[in-house]
Amino acid sequence: MTAATAEEAERLGRIIVESRLAACANVLNGIRSIFRWENKINVENECLMLIKTTLERYPELEAVIRRHHSYTIPEIIALPVIAGSAPYLEWVREETRK
């Protein structure tokens, strides 16, 4: 997910981690995005967020992001985890358990 500012990214990260929708949210500040929006090419500074959650929690996570994000259509994509450290993946499951 991207956010307009580091402050917005941190605010969103806190919301989703505190509500146990994600175990962790990394904020990578200083990315440059080039995109077409409303038939115009834009170049903007943004923050990239890597959010660690489970497939079970994804629908609720997406809903919370949509509710609290400043963008009309926020970038929300899910990528599959094809492998990972078993203890880390268990930690993600535990931290996002309802």
Side-chain angles (χ1 to χ4, degrees):
M1 183 183 79
T2 54
T5 65
E7 294 77 18
E8 179 179 31
E10 185 171 333
R11 180 180 60 78
L12 290 166
R14 286 183 178 276
I15 290 169
I16 62 179
V17 171
E18 287 174 358
S19 62
R20 300 185 81 81
L21 294 173
C24 176
N26 302 116
V27 177
L28 291 80
N29 200 5
I31 68 164
R32 195 92 167 131
S33 296
I34 303 164
F35 57 96
R36 183 183 309 274
W37 180 252
E38 297 179 341
N39 209 28
K40 178 182 167 200
I41 301 296
N42 295 273
V43 180
E44 301 286 341
N45 291 323
E46 292 184 297
C47 289
L48 179 65
M49 295 182 70
L50 303 176
I51 301 167
K52 284 66 169 230
T53 193
T54 62
L55 185 58
E56 176 186 38
R57 299 295 279 172
Y58 176 82
E60 190 177 353
L61 171 65
E62 181 178 333
V64 167
I65 290 169
R66 287 182 184 280
R67 187 165 43 252
H68 294 281
H69 204 289
S70 66
Y71 292 170
T72 305
I73 303 174
E75 171 194 351
I76 307 170
I77 58 172
L79 303 173
V81 175
I82 57 169
S85 159
Y88 182 82
L89 296 176
E90 180 57 29
W91 173 75
V92 171
R93 281 189 292 276
E94 285 297 318
E95 289 302 313
T96 58
R97 196 169 309 257
K98 289 184 181 183

